[in-house]
Amino acid sequence: MLLLLSPSSASLLSLQSHSYHVDSSRSRRPHQPLKVAGMAKETTDGGNGVVEKIAIAGGLVSTPVIAWSLYTLKTTGCGLPPGPGGSVGALEGVSYLAVVGIIGWSLYTKAKTGSGLPSGPSGLLGAVEGLSYLSLLAILVVFGLQFLDKGSIPGPLPSDQCFG
């Protein structure tokens, strides 16, 4: 009962004693239910899907390269060999960047629209998004295990320890 004695509750009681008149002379229309639909756009670049197709191709190439890289790192303690002219090492680095880019795009889209990337043609963009998150999880696990075993993770450039 102390609540009723406080000044704020007294002002609430005074508001309750007022009556309000509602003008009922207006014509009454039946209420129609609101239709609300929220969907992410299927494409982000004007409708031709070039960005999605590039992301799909990049993701489908990057995720197996990362799997190969992580397997090599776990078994040998080193990343992939540089290859002819550094091409394999470059592919490895670009693959990591592509996965980070896809995840960044996914997080941006999730924050902006409330849903992830659109599924894309044949659901491939959604598949690439999922594979990218799985790759990130694998990266965190293998890098964590590498750090616990060796005390460090290899840098982005070939070292003498691995390819000397």
Side-chain angles (χ1 to χ4, degrees):
M1 288 318 220
L2 291 176
L3 179 66
L4 292 177
L5 298 178
S6 71
S8 62
S9 63
S11 64
L12 288 175
L13 290 175
S14 66
L15 286 175
Q16 290 176 351
S17 64
H18 295 292
S19 64
Y20 297 97
H21 176 68
V22 177
D23 184 16
S24 61
S25 63
R26 296 178 139 186
S27 64
R28 295 190 181 251
R29 290 181 281 177
H31 293 288
Q32 295 180 0
L34 294 175
K35 294 180 183 177
V36 178
M39 295 175 54
K41 289 190 236 175
E42 282 297 318
T43 60
T44 58
D45 60 349
N48 56 5
V50 173
V51 173
E52 285 90 351
K53 289 175 185 169
I54 291 171
I56 290 167
L60 290 176
V61 170
S62 296
T63 49
V65 170
I66 288 176
W68 178 28
S69 170
L70 293 175
Y71 174 77
T72 304
L73 176 63
K74 186 63 185 136
T75 56
T76 66
C78 300
L80 295 177
S87 59
V88 176
L91 179 63
E92 179 184 24
V94 170
S95 295
Y96 280 96
L97 293 175
V99 165
V100 168
I102 291 168
I103 290 172
W105 182 25
S106 171
L107 292 173
Y108 172 77
T109 304
K110 180 74 171 175
K112 190 172 179 182
T113 66
S115 62
L117 296 176
S119 60
S122 302
L124 287 175
L125 186 58
V128 164
E129 180 183 20
L131 288 172
S132 295
Y133 279 106
L134 286 174
S135 294
L136 177 65
L137 178 64
I139 290 166
L140 294 174
V141 168
V142 172
F143 279 23
L145 291 172
Q146 175 75 14
F147 186 77
L148 291 175
D149 289 345
K150 309 280 185 197
S152 67
I153 57 174
L157 300 175
S159 66
D160 291 336
Q161 173 190 356
C162 292
F163 307 109

PDB file of all heavy atoms in Angstrom, residues 1-41:
ATOM      1  N   MET A   1       0.804  -1.196   0.000  1.00  0.00           N
ATOM      2  CA  MET A   1       0.000   0.000   0.000  1.00  0.00           C
ATOM      3  C   MET A   1       0.849   1.264   0.000  1.00  0.00           C
ATOM      4  O   MET A   1       0.343   2.318  -0.287  1.00  0.00           O
ATOM      5  CB  MET A   1      -0.927   0.014   1.216  1.00  0.00           C
ATOM      6  CG  MET A   1      -2.062  -0.997   1.096  1.00  0.00           C
ATOM      7  SD  MET A   1      -2.602  -0.883  -0.559  1.00  0.00           S
ATOM      8  CE  MET A   1      -4.221  -0.970  -0.618  1.00  0.00           C
ATOM      9  N   LEU A   2       2.141   1.137   0.289  1.00  0.00           N
ATOM     10  CA  LEU A   2       2.999   2.306   0.254  1.00  0.00           C
ATOM     11  C   LEU A   2       3.108   2.877  -1.156  1.00  0.00           C
ATOM     12  O   LEU A   2       3.342   4.052  -1.338  1.00  0.00           O
ATOM     13  CB  LEU A   2       4.388   1.954   0.785  1.00  0.00           C
ATOM     14  CG  LEU A   2       4.471   1.635   2.275  1.00  0.00           C
ATOM     15  CD1 LEU A   2       5.877   1.205   2.628  1.00  0.00           C
ATOM     16  CD2 LEU A   2       4.054   2.832   3.090  1.00  0.00           C
ATOM     17  N   LEU A   3       2.930   2.034  -2.156  1.00  0.00           N
ATOM     18  CA  LEU A   3       2.998   2.482  -3.532  1.00  0.00           C
ATOM     19  C   LEU A   3       1.918   3.513  -3.823  1.00  0.00           C
ATOM     20  O   LEU A   3       2.138   4.471  -4.546  1.00  0.00           O
ATOM     21  CB  LEU A   3       2.851   1.277  -4.471  1.00  0.00           C
ATOM     22  CG  LEU A   3       2.871   1.574  -5.954  1.00  0.00           C
ATOM     23  CD1 LEU A   3       4.240   2.101  -6.343  1.00  0.00           C
ATOM     24  CD2 LEU A   3       2.517   0.357  -6.744  1.00  0.00           C
ATOM     25  N   LEU A   4       0.764   3.355  -3.258  1.00  0.00           N
ATOM     26  CA  LEU A   4      -0.331   4.298  -3.488  1.00  0.00           C
ATOM     27  C   LEU A   4      -0.059   5.652  -2.854  1.00  0.00           C
ATOM     28  O   LEU A   4      -0.614   6.658  -3.278  1.00  0.00           O
ATOM     29  CB  LEU A   4      -1.644   3.736  -2.945  1.00  0.00           C
ATOM     30  CG  LEU A   4      -2.205   2.518  -3.691  1.00  0.00           C
ATOM     31  CD1 LEU A   4      -3.455   2.021  -3.016  1.00  0.00           C
ATOM     32  CD2 LEU A   4      -2.463   2.851  -5.140  1.00  0.00           C
ATOM     33  N   LEU A   5       0.806   5.696  -1.860  1.00  0.00           N
ATOM     34  CA  LEU A   5       1.071   6.957  -1.186  1.00  0.00           C
ATOM     35  C   LEU A   5       2.196   7.752  -1.837  1.00  0.00           C
ATOM     36  O   LEU A   5       2.408   8.903  -1.482  1.00  0.00           O
ATOM     37  CB  LEU A   5       1.417   6.678   0.280  1.00  0.00           C
ATOM     38  CG  LEU A   5       0.295   6.019   1.094  1.00  0.00           C
ATOM     39  CD1 LEU A   5       0.785   5.749   2.506  1.00  0.00           C
ATOM     40  CD2 LEU A   5      -0.956   6.872   1.107  1.00  0.00           C
ATOM     41  N   SER A   6       2.927   7.151  -2.765  1.00  0.00           N
ATOM     42  CA  SER A   6       4.021   7.883  -3.388  1.00  0.00           C
ATOM     43  C   SER A   6       3.471   8.941  -4.342  1.00  0.00           C
ATOM     44  O   SER A   6       2.384   8.809  -4.876  1.00  0.00           O
ATOM     45  CB  SER A   6       4.941   6.922  -4.135  1.00  0.00           C
ATOM     46  OG  SER A   6       4.282   6.436  -5.276  1.00  0.00           O
ATOM     47  N   PRO A   7       4.201  10.039  -4.576  1.00  0.00           N
ATOM     48  CA  PRO A   7       3.708  11.124  -5.426  1.00  0.00           C
ATOM     49  C   PRO A   7       3.445  10.684  -6.867  1.00  0.00           C
ATOM     50  O   PRO A   7       2.520  11.160  -7.500  1.00  0.00           O
ATOM     51  CB  PRO A   7       4.824  12.172  -5.393  1.00  0.00           C
ATOM     52  CG  PRO A   7       5.670  11.820  -4.230  1.00  0.00           C
ATOM     53  CD  PRO A   7       5.456  10.380  -3.949  1.00  0.00           C
ATOM     54  N   SER A   8       4.263   9.785  -7.390  1.00  0.00           N
ATOM     55  CA  SER A   8       4.043   9.365  -8.777  1.00  0.00           C
ATOM     56  C   SER A   8       2.765   8.564  -8.911  1.00  0.00           C
ATOM     57  O   SER A   8       2.057   8.683  -9.897  1.00  0.00           O
ATOM     58  CB  SER A   8       5.236   8.575  -9.290  1.00  0.00           C
ATOM     59  OG  SER A   8       5.389   7.407  -8.527  1.00  0.00           O
ATOM     60  N   SER A   9       2.438   7.739  -7.915  1.00  0.00           N
ATOM     61  CA  SER A   9       1.199   6.972  -8.009  1.00  0.00           C
ATOM     62  C   SER A   9      -0.008   7.882  -7.821  1.00  0.00           C
ATOM     63  O   SER A   9      -1.078   7.622  -8.358  1.00  0.00           O
ATOM     64  CB  SER A   9       1.192   5.826  -7.001  1.00  0.00           C
ATOM     65  OG  SER A   9       1.246   6.347  -5.691  1.00  0.00           O
ATOM     66  N   ALA A  10       0.147   8.970  -7.081  1.00  0.00           N
ATOM     67  CA  ALA A  10      -0.963   9.912  -6.929  1.00  0.00           C
ATOM     68  C   ALA A  10      -1.275  10.578  -8.257  1.00  0.00           C
ATOM     69  O   ALA A  10      -2.438  10.794  -8.601  1.00  0.00           O
ATOM     70  CB  ALA A  10      -0.610  10.961  -5.874  1.00  0.00           C
ATOM     71  N   SER A  11      -0.252  10.905  -9.032  1.00  0.00           N
ATOM     72  CA  SER A  11      -0.513  11.517 -10.326  1.00  0.00           C
ATOM     73  C   SER A  11      -1.140  10.510 -11.279  1.00  0.00           C
ATOM     74  O   SER A  11      -1.934  10.875 -12.130  1.00  0.00           O
ATOM     75  CB  SER A  11       0.765  12.101 -10.914  1.00  0.00           C
ATOM     76  OG  SER A  11       1.686  11.062 -11.161  1.00  0.00           O
ATOM     77  N   LEU A  12      -0.806   9.230 -11.132  1.00  0.00           N
ATOM     78  CA  LEU A  12      -1.440   8.219 -11.961  1.00  0.00           C
ATOM     79  C   LEU A  12      -2.911   8.091 -11.623  1.00  0.00           C
ATOM     80  O   LEU A  12      -3.750   7.922 -12.502  1.00  0.00           O
ATOM     81  CB  LEU A  12      -0.749   6.867 -11.780  1.00  0.00           C
ATOM     82  CG  LEU A  12       0.640   6.726 -12.406  1.00  0.00           C
ATOM     83  CD1 LEU A  12       1.236   5.370 -12.044  1.00  0.00           C
ATOM     84  CD2 LEU A  12       0.562   6.888 -13.902  1.00  0.00           C
ATOM     85  N   LEU A  13      -3.231   8.183 -10.334  1.00  0.00           N
ATOM     86  CA  LEU A  13      -4.629   8.105  -9.929  1.00  0.00           C
ATOM     87  C   LEU A  13      -5.419   9.282 -10.480  1.00  0.00           C
ATOM     88  O   LEU A  13      -6.574   9.144 -10.871  1.00  0.00           O
ATOM     89  CB  LEU A  13      -4.739   8.049  -8.411  1.00  0.00           C
ATOM     90  CG  LEU A  13      -4.252   6.751  -7.758  1.00  0.00           C
ATOM     91  CD1 LEU A  13      -4.310   6.875  -6.252  1.00  0.00           C
ATOM     92  CD2 LEU A  13      -5.068   5.579  -8.240  1.00  0.00           C
ATOM     93  N   SER A  14      -4.800  10.461 -10.534  1.00  0.00           N
ATOM     94  CA  SER A  14      -5.521  11.614 -11.057  1.00  0.00           C
ATOM     95  C   SER A  14      -5.750  11.472 -12.557  1.00  0.00           C
ATOM     96  O   SER A  14      -6.741  11.956 -13.083  1.00  0.00           O
ATOM     97  CB  SER A  14      -4.747  12.907 -10.763  1.00  0.00           C
ATOM     98  OG  SER A  14      -3.536  12.914 -11.470  1.00  0.00           O
ATOM     99  N   LEU A  15      -4.861  10.794 -13.268  1.00  0.00           N
ATOM    100  CA  LEU A  15      -5.083  10.566 -14.689  1.00  0.00           C
ATOM    101  C   LEU A  15      -6.222   9.586 -14.923  1.00  0.00           C
ATOM    102  O   LEU A  15      -6.947   9.694 -15.898  1.00  0.00           O
ATOM    103  CB  LEU A  15      -3.812  10.020 -15.345  1.00  0.00           C
ATOM    104  CG  LEU A  15      -2.672  11.001 -15.559  1.00  0.00           C
ATOM    105  CD1 LEU A  15      -1.459  10.261 -16.107  1.00  0.00           C
ATOM    106  CD2 LEU A  15      -3.092  12.098 -16.509  1.00  0.00           C
ATOM    107  N   GLN A  16      -6.386   8.647 -14.004  1.00  0.00           N
ATOM    108  CA  GLN A  16      -7.422   7.656 -14.179  1.00  0.00           C
ATOM    109  C   GLN A  16      -8.812   8.254 -13.987  1.00  0.00           C
ATOM    110  O   GLN A  16      -9.781   7.729 -14.502  1.00  0.00           O
ATOM    111  CB  GLN A  16      -7.223   6.506 -13.193  1.00  0.00           C
ATOM    112  CG  GLN A  16      -6.015   5.664 -13.536  1.00  0.00           C
ATOM    113  CD  GLN A  16      -5.768   4.591 -12.508  1.00  0.00           C
ATOM    114  OE1 GLN A  16      -6.402   4.575 -11.451  1.00  0.00           O
ATOM    115  NE2 GLN A  16      -4.851   3.694 -12.815  1.00  0.00           N
ATOM    116  N   SER A  17      -8.930   9.352 -13.288  1.00  0.00           N
ATOM    117  CA  SER A  17     -10.254   9.911 -13.024  1.00  0.00           C
ATOM    118  C   SER A  17     -10.794  10.702 -14.213  1.00  0.00           C
ATOM    119  O   SER A  17     -11.965  11.003 -14.259  1.00  0.00           O
ATOM    120  CB  SER A  17     -10.191  10.818 -11.785  1.00  0.00           C
ATOM    121  OG  SER A  17      -9.330  11.917 -12.061  1.00  0.00           O
ATOM    122  N   HIS A  18      -9.961  11.030 -15.187  1.00  0.00           N
ATOM    123  CA  HIS A  18     -10.423  11.770 -16.357  1.00  0.00           C
ATOM    124  C   HIS A  18     -11.074  10.818 -17.344  1.00  0.00           C
ATOM    125  O   HIS A  18     -10.667   9.685 -17.508  1.00  0.00           O
ATOM    126  CB  HIS A  18      -9.255  12.483 -17.054  1.00  0.00           C
ATOM    127  CG  HIS A  18      -8.618  13.550 -16.216  1.00  0.00           C
ATOM    128  ND1 HIS A  18      -9.267  14.699 -15.884  1.00  0.00           N
ATOM    129  CD2 HIS A  18      -7.399  13.617 -15.622  1.00  0.00           C
ATOM    130  CE1 HIS A  18      -8.478  15.450 -15.141  1.00  0.00           C
ATOM    131  NE2 HIS A  18      -7.324  14.792 -14.962  1.00  0.00           N
ATOM    132  N   SER A  19     -12.099  11.310 -18.007  1.00  0.00           N
ATOM    133  CA  SER A  19     -12.725  10.513 -19.049  1.00  0.00           C
ATOM    134  C   SER A  19     -12.410  11.160 -20.388  1.00  0.00           C
ATOM    135  O   SER A  19     -12.244  12.364 -20.490  1.00  0.00           O
ATOM    136  CB  SER A  19     -14.228  10.424 -18.825  1.00  0.00           C
ATOM    137  OG  SER A  19     -14.807  11.712 -18.932  1.00  0.00           O
ATOM    138  N   TYR A  20     -12.324  10.350 -21.385  1.00  0.00           N
ATOM    139  CA  TYR A  20     -11.997  10.825 -22.708  1.00  0.00           C
ATOM    140  C   TYR A  20     -13.156  10.513 -23.628  1.00  0.00           C
ATOM    141  O   TYR A  20     -13.755   9.445 -23.584  1.00  0.00           O
ATOM    142  CB  TYR A  20     -10.705  10.160 -23.221  1.00  0.00           C
ATOM    143  CG  TYR A  20      -9.507  10.501 -22.385  1.00  0.00           C
ATOM    144  CD1 TYR A  20      -9.046   9.651 -21.384  1.00  0.00           C
ATOM    145  CD2 TYR A  20      -8.835  11.695 -22.578  1.00  0.00           C
ATOM    146  CE1 TYR A  20      -7.959   9.980 -20.609  1.00  0.00           C
ATOM    147  CE2 TYR A  20      -7.735  12.033 -21.808  1.00  0.00           C
ATOM    148  CZ  TYR A  20      -7.307  11.170 -20.834  1.00  0.00           C
ATOM    149  OH  TYR A  20      -6.220  11.500 -20.074  1.00  0.00           O
ATOM    150  N   HIS A  21     -13.481  11.473 -24.531  1.00  0.00           N
ATOM    151  CA  HIS A  21     -14.567  11.299 -25.468  1.00  0.00           C
ATOM    152  C   HIS A  21     -13.984  10.906 -26.818  1.00  0.00           C
ATOM    153  O   HIS A  21     -13.104  11.568 -27.342  1.00  0.00           O
ATOM    154  CB  HIS A  21     -15.366  12.609 -25.604  1.00  0.00           C
ATOM    155  CG  HIS A  21     -16.448  12.527 -26.631  1.00  0.00           C
ATOM    156  ND1 HIS A  21     -17.553  11.739 -26.458  1.00  0.00           N
ATOM    157  CD2 HIS A  21     -16.587  13.134 -27.836  1.00  0.00           C
ATOM    158  CE1 HIS A  21     -18.339  11.859 -27.515  1.00  0.00           C
ATOM    159  NE2 HIS A  21     -17.762  12.713 -28.371  1.00  0.00           N
ATOM    160  N   VAL A  22     -14.490   9.833 -27.383  1.00  0.00           N
ATOM    161  CA  VAL A  22     -14.055   9.373 -28.686  1.00  0.00           C
ATOM    162  C   VAL A  22     -15.158   9.687 -29.679  1.00  0.00           C
ATOM    163  O   VAL A  22     -16.316   9.341 -29.469  1.00  0.00           O
ATOM    164  CB  VAL A  22     -13.767   7.857 -28.674  1.00  0.00           C
ATOM    165  CG1 VAL A  22     -13.377   7.369 -30.041  1.00  0.00           C
ATOM    166  CG2 VAL A  22     -12.705   7.544 -27.653  1.00  0.00           C
ATOM    167  N   ASP A  23     -14.788  10.367 -30.761  1.00  0.00           N
ATOM    168  CA  ASP A  23     -15.758  10.751 -31.775  1.00  0.00           C
ATOM    169  C   ASP A  23     -16.130   9.516 -32.586  1.00  0.00           C
ATOM    170  O   ASP A  23     -15.324   8.967 -33.317  1.00  0.00           O
ATOM    171  CB  ASP A  23     -15.156  11.830 -32.680  1.00  0.00           C
ATOM    172  CG  ASP A  23     -16.146  12.348 -33.700  1.00  0.00           C
ATOM    173  OD1 ASP A  23     -17.353  12.096 -33.518  1.00  0.00           O
ATOM    174  OD2 ASP A  23     -15.696  12.994 -34.670  1.00  0.00           O
ATOM    175  N   SER A  24     -17.378   9.088 -32.448  1.00  0.00           N
ATOM    176  CA  SER A  24     -17.831   7.901 -33.160  1.00  0.00           C
ATOM    177  C   SER A  24     -18.594   8.263 -34.416  1.00  0.00           C
ATOM    178  O   SER A  24     -19.205   7.424 -35.039  1.00  0.00           O
ATOM    179  CB  SER A  24     -18.691   7.034 -32.241  1.00  0.00           C
ATOM    180  OG  SER A  24     -19.822   7.775 -31.837  1.00  0.00           O
ATOM    181  N   SER A  25     -18.592   9.552 -34.812  1.00  0.00           N
ATOM    182  CA  SER A  25     -19.319   9.963 -36.003  1.00  0.00           C
ATOM    183  C   SER A  25     -18.568   9.595 -37.278  1.00  0.00           C
ATOM    184  O   SER A  25     -19.131   9.636 -38.357  1.00  0.00           O
ATOM    185  CB  SER A  25     -19.569  11.474 -35.972  1.00  0.00           C
ATOM    186  OG  SER A  25     -18.338  12.157 -35.997  1.00  0.00           O
ATOM    187  N   ARG A  26     -17.316   9.274 -37.171  1.00  0.00           N
ATOM    188  CA  ARG A  26     -16.549   8.845 -38.332  1.00  0.00           C
ATOM    189  C   ARG A  26     -17.101   7.520 -38.846  1.00  0.00           C
ATOM    190  O   ARG A  26     -17.585   6.690 -38.089  1.00  0.00           O
ATOM    191  CB  ARG A  26     -15.077   8.651 -37.993  1.00  0.00           C
ATOM    192  CG  ARG A  26     -14.396   9.903 -37.582  1.00  0.00           C
ATOM    193  CD  ARG A  26     -12.998   9.567 -37.239  1.00  0.00           C
ATOM    194  NE  ARG A  26     -12.103  10.598 -37.763  1.00  0.00           N
ATOM    195  CZ  ARG A  26     -10.812  10.532 -37.723  1.00  0.00           C
ATOM    196  NH1 ARG A  26     -10.231   9.470 -37.233  1.00  0.00           N
ATOM    197  NH2 ARG A  26     -10.080  11.505 -38.184  1.00  0.00           N
ATOM    198  N   SER A  27     -16.993   7.349 -40.152  1.00  0.00           N
ATOM    199  CA  SER A  27     -17.474   6.087 -40.712  1.00  0.00           C
ATOM    200  C   SER A  27     -16.539   4.967 -40.273  1.00  0.00           C
ATOM    201  O   SER A  27     -15.331   5.118 -40.228  1.00  0.00           O
ATOM    202  CB  SER A  27     -17.534   6.176 -42.230  1.00  0.00           C
ATOM    203  OG  SER A  27     -16.239   6.362 -42.751  1.00  0.00           O
ATOM    204  N   ARG A  28     -17.150   3.886 -39.988  1.00  0.00           N
ATOM    205  CA  ARG A  28     -16.367   2.730 -39.524  1.00  0.00           C
ATOM    206  C   ARG A  28     -16.045   1.830 -40.704  1.00  0.00           C
ATOM    207  O   ARG A  28     -16.908   1.458 -41.473  1.00  0.00           O
ATOM    208  CB  ARG A  28     -17.127   1.949 -38.470  1.00  0.00           C
ATOM    209  CG  ARG A  28     -17.336   2.746 -37.218  1.00  0.00           C
ATOM    210  CD  ARG A  28     -17.876   1.838 -36.141  1.00  0.00           C
ATOM    211  NE  ARG A  28     -18.101   2.625 -34.956  1.00  0.00           N
ATOM    212  CZ  ARG A  28     -17.377   2.526 -33.878  1.00  0.00           C
ATOM    213  NH1 ARG A  28     -16.391   1.665 -33.823  1.00  0.00           N
ATOM    214  NH2 ARG A  28     -17.627   3.265 -32.827  1.00  0.00           N
ATOM    215  N   ARG A  29     -14.761   1.538 -40.824  1.00  0.00           N
ATOM    216  CA  ARG A  29     -14.318   0.617 -41.853  1.00  0.00           C
ATOM    217  C   ARG A  29     -13.838  -0.651 -41.166  1.00  0.00           C
ATOM    218  O   ARG A  29     -13.226  -0.585 -40.098  1.00  0.00           O
ATOM    219  CB  ARG A  29     -13.163   1.214 -42.647  1.00  0.00           C
ATOM    220  CG  ARG A  29     -13.585   2.366 -43.517  1.00  0.00           C
ATOM    221  CD  ARG A  29     -12.417   2.879 -44.278  1.00  0.00           C
ATOM    222  NE  ARG A  29     -11.645   3.725 -43.359  1.00  0.00           N
ATOM    223  CZ  ARG A  29     -10.509   4.319 -43.635  1.00  0.00           C
ATOM    224  NH1 ARG A  29      -9.966   4.149 -44.818  1.00  0.00           N
ATOM    225  NH2 ARG A  29      -9.907   5.068 -42.768  1.00  0.00           N
ATOM    226  N   PRO A  30     -14.101  -1.782 -41.772  1.00  0.00           N
ATOM    227  CA  PRO A  30     -13.586  -3.013 -41.145  1.00  0.00           C
ATOM    228  C   PRO A  30     -12.057  -3.005 -41.189  1.00  0.00           C
ATOM    229  O   PRO A  30     -11.456  -2.552 -42.153  1.00  0.00           O
ATOM    230  CB  PRO A  30     -14.150  -4.133 -42.016  1.00  0.00           C
ATOM    231  CG  PRO A  30     -14.549  -3.483 -43.298  1.00  0.00           C
ATOM    232  CD  PRO A  30     -14.841  -2.041 -42.982  1.00  0.00           C
ATOM    233  N   HIS A  31     -11.474  -3.462 -40.133  1.00  0.00           N
ATOM    234  CA  HIS A  31     -10.011  -3.505 -40.043  1.00  0.00           C
ATOM    235  C   HIS A  31      -9.483  -4.622 -40.923  1.00  0.00           C
ATOM    236  O   HIS A  31      -9.968  -5.736 -40.873  1.00  0.00           O
ATOM    237  CB  HIS A  31      -9.551  -3.739 -38.600  1.00  0.00           C
ATOM    238  CG  HIS A  31      -9.870  -2.590 -37.696  1.00  0.00           C
ATOM    239  ND1 HIS A  31      -9.193  -1.407 -37.764  1.00  0.00           N
ATOM    240  CD2 HIS A  31     -10.792  -2.456 -36.712  1.00  0.00           C
ATOM    241  CE1 HIS A  31      -9.680  -0.577 -36.863  1.00  0.00           C
ATOM    242  NE2 HIS A  31     -10.655  -1.193 -36.205  1.00  0.00           N
ATOM    243  N   GLN A  32      -8.518  -4.282 -41.734  1.00  0.00           N
ATOM    244  CA  GLN A  32      -7.876  -5.289 -42.554  1.00  0.00           C
ATOM    245  C   GLN A  32      -6.536  -5.632 -41.917  1.00  0.00           C
ATOM    246  O   GLN A  32      -5.808  -4.737 -41.495  1.00  0.00           O
ATOM    247  CB  GLN A  32      -7.662  -4.763 -43.970  1.00  0.00           C
ATOM    248  CG  GLN A  32      -8.959  -4.509 -44.699  1.00  0.00           C
ATOM    249  CD  GLN A  32      -8.696  -3.990 -46.107  1.00  0.00           C
ATOM    250  OE1 GLN A  32      -7.561  -3.829 -46.513  1.00  0.00           O
ATOM    251  NE2 GLN A  32      -9.764  -3.739 -46.831  1.00  0.00           N
ATOM    252  N   PRO A  33      -6.225  -6.915 -41.831  1.00  0.00           N
ATOM    253  CA  PRO A  33      -4.942  -7.292 -41.206  1.00  0.00           C
ATOM    254  C   PRO A  33      -3.776  -6.780 -42.035  1.00  0.00           C
ATOM    255  O   PRO A  33      -3.834  -6.728 -43.260  1.00  0.00           O
ATOM    256  CB  PRO A  33      -4.983  -8.812 -41.178  1.00  0.00           C
ATOM    257  CG  PRO A  33      -5.979  -9.194 -42.224  1.00  0.00           C
ATOM    258  CD  PRO A  33      -6.971  -8.065 -42.322  1.00  0.00           C
ATOM    259  N   LEU A  34      -2.740  -6.365 -41.345  1.00  0.00           N
ATOM    260  CA  LEU A  34      -1.528  -5.902 -42.011  1.00  0.00           C
ATOM    261  C   LEU A  34      -0.743  -7.101 -42.519  1.00  0.00           C
ATOM    262  O   LEU A  34      -0.631  -8.117 -41.852  1.00  0.00           O
ATOM    263  CB  LEU A  34      -0.658  -5.105 -41.045  1.00  0.00           C
ATOM    264  CG  LEU A  34      -1.224  -3.789 -40.553  1.00  0.00           C
ATOM    265  CD1 LEU A  34      -0.285  -3.196 -39.523  1.00  0.00           C
ATOM    266  CD2 LEU A  34      -1.403  -2.830 -41.703  1.00  0.00           C
ATOM    267  N   LYS A  35      -0.212  -6.955 -43.700  1.00  0.00           N
ATOM    268  CA  LYS A  35       0.634  -7.996 -44.257  1.00  0.00           C
ATOM    269  C   LYS A  35       2.069  -7.493 -44.214  1.00  0.00           C
ATOM    270  O   LYS A  35       2.399  -6.506 -44.850  1.00  0.00           O
ATOM    271  CB  LYS A  35       0.234  -8.310 -45.691  1.00  0.00           C
ATOM    272  CG  LYS A  35      -1.137  -8.928 -45.786  1.00  0.00           C
ATOM    273  CD  LYS A  35      -1.493  -9.225 -47.218  1.00  0.00           C
ATOM    274  CE  LYS A  35      -2.895  -9.775 -47.292  1.00  0.00           C
ATOM    275  NZ  LYS A  35      -3.305 -10.012 -48.674  1.00  0.00           N
ATOM    276  N   VAL A  36       2.895  -8.169 -43.445  1.00  0.00           N
ATOM    277  CA  VAL A  36       4.287  -7.768 -43.288  1.00  0.00           C
ATOM    278  C   VAL A  36       5.153  -8.890 -43.831  1.00  0.00           C
ATOM    279  O   VAL A  36       5.000 -10.040 -43.459  1.00  0.00           O
ATOM    280  CB  VAL A  36       4.631  -7.499 -41.808  1.00  0.00           C
ATOM    281  CG1 VAL A  36       6.080  -7.129 -41.656  1.00  0.00           C
ATOM    282  CG2 VAL A  36       3.724  -6.433 -41.246  1.00  0.00           C
ATOM    283  N   ALA A  37       6.050  -8.525 -44.721  1.00  0.00           N
ATOM    284  CA  ALA A  37       6.986  -9.509 -45.273  1.00  0.00           C
ATOM    285  C   ALA A  37       8.386  -8.928 -45.191  1.00  0.00           C
ATOM    286  O   ALA A  37       8.620  -7.794 -45.578  1.00  0.00           O
ATOM    287  CB  ALA A  37       6.637  -9.830 -46.714  1.00  0.00           C
ATOM    288  N   GLY A  38       9.305  -9.691 -44.669  1.00  0.00           N
ATOM    289  CA  GLY A  38      10.701  -9.262 -44.589  1.00  0.00           C
ATOM    290  C   GLY A  38      11.575 -10.286 -45.272  1.00  0.00           C
ATOM    291  O   GLY A  38      11.633 -11.425 -44.851  1.00  0.00           O
ATOM    292  N   MET A  39      12.217  -9.875 -46.345  1.00  0.00           N
ATOM    293  CA  MET A  39      13.084 -10.804 -47.062  1.00  0.00           C
ATOM    294  C   MET A  39      14.345 -10.079 -47.489  1.00  0.00           C
ATOM    295  O   MET A  39      14.304  -8.897 -47.807  1.00  0.00           O
ATOM    296  CB  MET A  39      12.379 -11.337 -48.307  1.00  0.00           C
ATOM    297  CG  MET A  39      11.161 -12.181 -47.995  1.00  0.00           C
ATOM    298  SD  MET A  39      10.257 -12.699 -49.462  1.00  0.00           S
ATOM    299  CE  MET A  39      11.510 -13.456 -50.418  1.00  0.00           C
ATOM    300  N   ALA A  40      15.440 -10.789 -47.500  1.00  0.00           N
ATOM    301  CA  ALA A  40      16.680 -10.223 -48.021  1.00  0.00           C
ATOM    302  C   ALA A  40      16.618 -10.246 -49.540  1.00  0.00           C
ATOM    303  O   ALA A  40      15.964 -11.089 -50.142  1.00  0.00           O
ATOM    304  CB  ALA A  40      17.880 -11.034 -47.540  1.00  0.00           C
ATOM    305  N   LYS A  41      17.283  -9.304 -50.151  1.00  0.00           N
ATOM    306  CA  LYS A  41      17.331  -9.277 -51.610  1.00  0.00           C
ATOM    307  C   LYS A  41      18.088 -10.499 -52.111  1.00  0.00           C
ATOM    308  O   LYS A  41      19.037 -10.945 -51.489  1.00  0.00           O
ATOM    309  CB  LYS A  41      18.053  -8.024 -52.096  1.00  0.00           C
ATOM    310  CG  LYS A  41      17.287  -6.762 -51.896  1.00  0.00           C
ATOM    311  CD  LYS A  41      18.013  -5.658 -52.635  1.00  0.00           C
ATOM    312  CE  LYS A  41      18.341  -4.536 -51.707  1.00  0.00           C
ATOM    313  NZ  LYS A  41      19.128  -3.500 -52.329  1.00  0.00           N
TER     314      LYS A  41
END
